Amino acid sequence: MGQFFNNLLQDINAFLWGLAGYSSQEITTLAEDSWIGYLLAAIIQAALLLHVLAAGTVLFTWAERKVCGRIQDRLGPTRVGGKFGWLQSIADGIKLLCKEDLIPDEADSLLFRIAPYLSISASFAALIVLPFSDGWVAQQLNIGAFFILAIMGLEVFGVILAGYASGSKWSLYGAMREAAQVISYEIPLAMCVVVPVLLVGSMNLGTIANYQAGWFTNWLIFHDPFAFATFWIYFTCGIASVNRAPFDLAEAESELVAGFHTEYSGMRWSLLFMAEYGSMFTVSGLGVLLFLGAWYGPLPIFNSWTSGTESWYLAQMANLVGCLNFVLKSSLLVIVMIWVRWTLPRLRIDQVMTMCLKYCVPLSLIGLSGVLLWQLLAIPSLNDLAPARSDLTEHWAEKSSSPFVKDSQEKVDLFDGRNTQ
Amino acid sequence: MLDPTLINNKNIEYDAQTNEMLINMGPQHPSTHGVLRLIIRTDGEIVSEIQPHIGYLHRCAEKIGEHLSARQWIPYTDRMDYLAAMNMNLGWSLTVEKLLDHQVSKKLQHLRLMICELGRIASHLVGMGAYGLDLGTASPFFYAIREREKILDLFEKACGARLTFSYITPGGVMADIPEGWIDECKAFLDYFEPIIKQYHTLLTTNAIFLKRTCNLGILSKEKAIDYGCSGAVLRGSGIDYDLRRDGDPFYTEMYDGYDFEVIVEKEGDYPKDYPYPDVPREAQLGDCWHRFYVRMLEVIQSIKLIRQSFEKYQSIPEPIEKPLKLQQKLPKGEIYLETEAPRGQMGFGLFSEGDPIPWKVRARSSCFCNLSVLPELCRGVYLADIPSIVGSLDIMMGEIDR
């Protein structure tokens, strides 16, 4: 990504000098991989990802209110910000900012303050390796899938701290429940994540995503029946690991008042809240990346441009469409989570653990071994039905003719290291 | 051996306790149905002992009754079980009427039955919705309230109020129902009856719901009788007893000539006029699921009763009589009458010295007895089962504390 911004700066430079009539050879550009480029990239990426988190929370809160309103035969918010109550979440945010920041006497003040930041940092950090489109990722790690799992596990520390530090018995209950639940569900969740990793042979989320390019039959969920089942186990465990109903035991309002965030108010509470919604998006996004074709739409209209075209600008355009694709698919999964939440009663703690240990773990193991066998015996998968990716690439490469097409040498520079990791 | 000076150290005590924990649930807890306070002794998630504390909604209704005439006390009965105020009004009115030996006309009886059974539906709807809320699903509550609002609209047309009706009063009702009310009521029942199937899909047969309610909080027949339980709690334990059929003749006269069934499990099944779900395998007689299911089926019986009452009410042409005078003198004597309110047997006692103002007034709350089984049922359950059991008892704090 640092290189990307370096290139961008070069492009801008070249464009400006080009206007003045100089040829590209004569242009003095910024040094390759300069630290300024990387710093700039890091700041811009952090700002962008922070906005993903904030805007995601605002939009998903609004969606949750609307969806739950419709499910309950109500309208949901209708007044703030026009007809559909678009600004309801903003209004709530302002309300939360204005609320008194209470720290109970019994609370361990330092830990009580740290907990929300820990939670939100973990939720935020997981976005670092989440690619929104081909190459649109803050840091393309070779172990992206593993990194997300590890970081998402960190979020539970914030919750445990919040529950412990509140000095309330209800909070402590919530924290203990969350600890037991999240740690248990990490196992089947990781098993399910291993399945696409096995199929593709890489933990790099970009590589896994690009493997699914082309028709929707190329998506890993359609690879074989085991992979199909694994996606649903993944989604169930994902709901459990982000504490959404019917697994929202940590904040079970009918039992534990509000669970671990009983004593929180104002902005601190809203940070915990944002962390929850951020993780919801991350889990959904990871599901989309691993199983549902990532940023590739069901039909290969735009996605082949991403790699086929020689035009850098066209490729970015296709990336933008891919990004929309990805966000749309992830949001759909989030809405399914909302839908489930407002339909089902809550499970009891022992039932949640039973479900994990007796059903999810064995089922995910079966899925894993099934996929292994499938690979081992080289059984043809549904993915083979779709036309091969290279054919499509050639097809689109012929078609694309843009005034911005650059010479092949420059193209190699631009895309070097993008998908080769 | 620990250093004795350390034992008194607050931090060590606070951090290293492994014994049982005492938690206070309520009176501001979201799922204790008002202002019930439960002192819970827990070992981790397991509850070892539970003790209900009541009295946070005590409003001296009985004492106030000693300063008001019989009809003036009606609004106070509204505020006892505020979710089924009509049935409370009926209980007190019948008690006063029985003391006066003044049986109201047949037409009025049909009207009262119609109103009270509607009240029963409204009350059971809240019981059903709030139970869903206790188990962590908010949506059934909204569906229930949607239907209840329609009943309240009907009540509003009859008496002008939506919560505290003061409609049924000693000697009659405040005013006859308006023109066209019965048609609206019929339309409501036609709309409502098929909707109950949705509730069964949403809750009664939901796998998670079954997991949370079946085989939990089992109240045996003997215990139910010992503790003086009544209403759906008693019938959920398999005891065939309903005051509408077995009660005081002065009360059951209202239900003469009506065809309805007392909902109670017989040979592993419930009386079925409708194809409603079977008893699941994991459910045991007297558990939370049975108590819930009895309520759900009672709604059907109430609909049946209301449908019958329309014709009977309309077949009597003459207008209904006026209620008793506000300062009606009561004969000397004492009286106690129990009626079948939605939550159980609601008893009113009246001791009169011959004045319009009773010398003593007493109310016997069904929920008080139903709540008293809570320590028995909650021994050794999970913490999360407490809302589940409390919700299945369907208590009403206004009635317990009065």
Side-chain angles (χ1 to χ4, degrees):
Chain A
M1 200 72 178
Q3 215 166 17
F4 167 73
F5 275 97
N6 263 329
N7 291 326
L8 194 66
L9 288 173
Q10 277 179 21
D11 282 349
I12 294 167
N13 212 358
F15 179 69
L16 290 174
W17 283 103
L19 284 182
Y22 291 90
S23 70
S24 62
Q25 273 75 29
E26 290 161 338
I27 301 162
T28 337
T29 54
L30 284 168
E32 281 285 312
D33 290 337
S34 76
W35 63 272
I36 298 178
Y38 275 105
L39 189 68
L40 193 66
I43 291 171
I44 292 176
Q45 283 154 4
L48 279 176
L49 288 181
L50 207 57
H51 279 83
V52 169
L53 196 68
T57 310
V58 166
L59 279 176
F60 291 140
T61 322
W62 176 81
E64 171 128 41
R65 282 154 181 269
K66 272 315 225 195
V67 170
C68 113
R70 291 295 170 172
I71 287 175
Q72 294 170 351
D73 205 4
R74 304 183 281 119
L75 291 175
T78 50
R79 308 231 170 146
V80 191
K83 203 180 168 194
F84 301 108
W86 291 105
L87 295 179
Q88 184 67 47
S89 322
I90 307 282
D92 279 349
I94 293 169
K95 180 204 76 173
L96 285 168
L97 272 174
C98 299
K99 272 179 113 171
E100 190 186 352
D101 180 26
L102 277 174
I103 298 176
D105 282 348
E106 284 282 308
D108 187 326
S109 183
L110 178 69
L111 296 183
F112 189 84
R113 283 160 205 263
I114 287 176
Y117 301 121
L118 199 63
S119 236
I120 192 123
S121 316
S123 176
F124 176 52
L127 291 176
I128 290 177
V129 292
L130 201 71
F132 284 79
S133 192
D134 199 359
W136 285 21
V137 53
Q139 193 62 49
Q140 192 144 23
L141 281 186
N142 279 339
I143 49 161
F146 177 70
F147 181 84
I148 284 196
L149 282 183
I151 287 291
M152 292 250 303
L154 271 183
E155 202 198 328
V156 73
F157 280 113
V159 172
I160 293 173
L161 270 191
Y164 170 74
S166 292
S168 156
K169 288 166 184 172
W170 296 117
S171 304
L172 193 62
Y173 265 116
M176 287 301 122
R177 282 182 177 190
E178 164 112 3
Q181 181 190 334
V182 172
I183 289 167
S184 309
Y185 271 92
E186 295 242 307
I187 300 164
L189 193 71
M191 302 264 196
C192 297
V193 170
V194 165
V195 166
V197 169
L198 267 175
L199 290 176
V200 180
S202 168
M203 272 203 195
N204 190 328
L205 289 173
T207 315
I208 296 176
N210 280 325
Y211 184 85
Q212 307 174 60
W215 293 80
F216 66 92
T217 45
N218 269 352
W219 295 0
L220 285 176
I221 186 176
F222 298 122
H223 185 272
D224 58 74
F226 292 105
F228 186 80
T230 305
F231 170 71
W232 297 108
I233 302 166
Y234 169 82
F235 194 56
T236 313
C237 298
I239 293 177
S241 69
V242 298
N243 282 303
R244 291 286 295 182
F247 306 104
D248 58 341
L249 296 160
E251 46 199 286
E253 81 282 344
S254 62
E255 299 145 27
L256 304 184
V257 191
F260 64 90
H261 55 62
T262 306
E263 306 292 342
Y264 279 85
S265 67
M267 218 43 214
R268 287 181 207 286
W269 178 83
S270 73
L271 285 182
L272 287 169
F273 188 72
M274 272 168 81
E276 187 195 321
Y277 277 80
S279 323
M280 263 166 76
F281 181 76
T282 313
V283 161
S284 306
L286 189 60
V288 169
L289 280 172
L290 296 179
F291 292 100
L292 296 179
W295 50 81
Y296 293 104
L299 301 175
I301 300 166
F302 290 99
N303 52 21
S304 45
W305 296 9
T306 319
S307 59
T309 178
E310 300 204 333
S311 152
W312 184 85
Y313 300 98
L314 210 58
Q316 295 308 319
M317 187 80 116
N319 266 355
L320 188 69
V321 176
C323 179
L324 284 178
N325 245 330
F326 173 75
V327 171
L328 200 70
K329 278 193 267 188
S330 308
S331 305
L332 267 178
L333 285 190
V334 171
I335 284 175
V336 172
M337 284 188 184
I338 294 172
W339 175 20
V340 167
R341 172 174 180 182
W342 295 104
T343 312
L344 294 177
R346 183 183 302 116
L347 284 162
R348 208 166 57 197
I349 182 72
D350 61 317
Q351 289 160 352
V352 168
M353 302 308 279
T354 311
M355 180 154 169
C356 173
L357 299 173
K358 274 197 182 163
Y359 300 102
C360 286
V361 170
L363 281 176
S364 58
L365 276 173
I366 291 171
L368 184 60
S369 26
V371 169
L372 267 175
L373 275 179
W374 206 277
Q375 289 287 84
L376 200 64
L377 304 175
I379 304 170
S381 85
L382 195 60
N383 295 4
D384 301 336
L385 292 177
R389 187 161 179 274
S390 53
D391 302 346
L392 282 166
T393 312
E394 280 161 23
H395 172 71
W396 283 104
E398 281 165 23
K399 290 236 167 181
S400 67
S401 56
S402 156
F404 298 108
V405 170
K406 306 195 171 191
D407 56 290
S408 59
Q409 183 59 44
E410 203 172 347
K411 191 221 160 202
V412 170
D413 284 349
L414 277 170
F415 288 91
D416 188 39
R418 283 271 298 284
N419 298 323
T420 52
Q421 273 176 325
Chain B
M1 188 66 194
L2 257 176
D3 183 2
T5 53
L6 278 179
I7 291 174
N8 290 331
N9 188 321
K10 191 189 166 225
N11 287 330
I12 291 216
E13 222 176 285
Y14 184 76
D15 283 350
Q17 274 182 347
T18 52
N19 51 358
E20 291 183 324
M21 190 153 83
L22 208 62
I23 317 183
N24 182 34
M25 195 177 190
Q28 294 97 359
H29 193 275
S31 75
T32 49
H33 291 248
V35 287
L36 172 64
R37 179 183 173 208
L38 301 169
I39 310 285
I40 309 168
R41 191 180 287 282
T42 59
D43 180 11
E45 286 270 344
I46 312 277
V47 176
S48 52
E49 193 191 343
I50 185 167
Q51 196 172 14
H53 279 223
I54 58 170
Y56 290 92
L57 203 55
H58 183 58
R59 291 151 301 179
C60 314
E62 289 163 335
K63 190 69 190 166
I64 291 169
E66 294 163 19
H67 299 274
L68 298 172
S69 72
R71 261 193 72 186
Q72 281 176 323
W73 199 54
I74 280 288
Y76 289 88
T77 62
D78 279 332
R79 282 150 182 84
M80 286 184 184
D81 186 348
Y82 42 81
L83 293 179
M86 288 292 189
N87 304 63
M88 295 287 119
N89 294 346
L90 178 79
W92 176 243
S93 305
L94 281 176
T95 313
V96 176
E97 283 159 19
K98 197 183 175 192
L99 183 67
L100 290 160
D101 201 18
H102 168 92
Q103 184 62 283
V104 294
S105 68
K106 208 68 204 160
K107 182 167 185 177
L108 201 49
Q109 284 183 9
H110 296 316
L111 175 60
R112 279 178 170 187
L113 183 144
M114 201 188 302
I115 295 285
C116 285
E117 294 303 325
L118 268 180
R120 193 183 306 278
I121 295 176
S123 167
H124 282 343
L125 276 175
V126 176
M128 186 275 293
Y131 197 35
L133 216 53
D134 286 343
L135 296 177
T137 169
S139 300
F141 187 70
F142 284 87
Y143 298 140
I145 290 292
R146 179 185 65 191
E147 264 57 273
R148 187 182 148 88
E149 284 296 301
K150 295 201 165 68
I151 298 178
L152 295 190
D153 285 344
L154 287 172
F155 283 165
E156 193 181 7
K157 285 195 175 108
C159 70
R162 290 178 72 86
L163 187 71
T164 51
F165 309 109
S166 305
Y167 181 57
I168 298 169
T169 193
V173 292
M174 290 309 292
D176 199 354
I177 46 175
E179 201 77 14
W181 191 89
I182 288 196
D183 294 330
E184 280 174 47
C185 192
K186 265 182 198 159
F188 165 73
L189 292 183
D190 291 339
Y191 154 83
F192 177 61
E193 213 172 332
I195 278 183
I196 299 174
K197 277 202 186 93
Q198 293 178 8
Y199 298 150
H200 284 297
T201 330
L202 201 61
L203 281 180
T204 319
T205 54
N206 182 300
I208 300 179
F209 181 82
L210 292 183
K211 279 198 161 195
R212 291 294 306 275
T213 56
C214 287
N215 210 356
L216 172 73
I218 299 168
L219 182 65
S220 67
K221 280 185 184 184
E222 295 75 26
K223 278 213 184 100
I225 294 172
D226 287 352
Y227 278 93
C229 296
S230 51
V233 179
L234 185 75
R235 290 191 286 278
S237 289
I239 294 165
D240 194 0
Y241 188 70
D242 188 324
L243 287 181
R244 286 181 288 176
R245 187 192 61 197
D246 311 316
D248 192 293
F250 195 81
Y251 173 53
T252 50
E253 204 185 318
M254 247 171 82
Y255 288 87
D256 279 352
Y258 280 92
D259 170 37
F260 73 104
E261 269 176 286
V262 175
I263 300 299
V264 71
E265 194 201 42
K266 278 172 195 144
E267 289 147 15
D269 210 352
Y270 280 95
K272 263 199 203 127
D273 305 338
Y274 301 84
Y276 285 138
D278 292 325
V279 180
R281 262 181 300 128
E282 52 269 54
Q284 270 203 23
L285 190 61
D287 65 4
C288 294
W289 189 88
H290 275 274
R291 289 194 277 275
F292 173 81
Y293 198 45
V294 163
R295 259 178 223 118
M296 294 298 286
L297 291 188
E298 272 184 14
V299 168
I300 308 284
Q301 296 302 323
S302 292
I303 292 173
K304 220 165 116 183
L305 278 167
I306 297 167
R307 284 198 199 281
Q308 293 171 45
S309 70
F310 290 147
E311 241 173 65
K312 300 195 179 191
Y313 172 79
Q314 281 169 328
S315 66
I316 304 171
E318 62 260 25
I320 57 167
E321 69 262 33
K322 287 244 157 30
L324 298 175
K325 282 187 294 176
L326 199 59
Q327 297 292 332
Q328 173 76 35
K329 258 202 172 146
L330 301 173
K332 219 171 177 177
E334 65 173 80
I335 195 88
Y336 177 73
L337 183 75
E338 282 189 343
T339 56
E340 185 75 28
R343 288 180 172 73
Q345 299 168 11
M346 186 67 203
F348 282 101
L350 200 171
F351 307 83
S352 169
E353 296 272 85
D355 302 322
I357 293 168
W359 183 71
K360 213 165 199 26
V361 172
R362 276 285 175 266
R364 181 261 189 211
S365 158
S366 55
C367 295
F368 181 80
C369 298
N370 289 350
L371 180 67
S372 66
V373 297
L374 196 60
E376 195 77 38
L377 299 185
C378 286
R379 207 164 285 148
V381 299
Y382 283 91
L383 191 68
D385 289 333
I386 293 174
S388 174
I389 292 172
V390 173
S392 78
L393 296 173
D394 194 16
I395 49 161
M396 166 53 57
M397 292 314 289
E399 192 189 313
I400 294 174
D401 293 340
R402 300 188 286 281

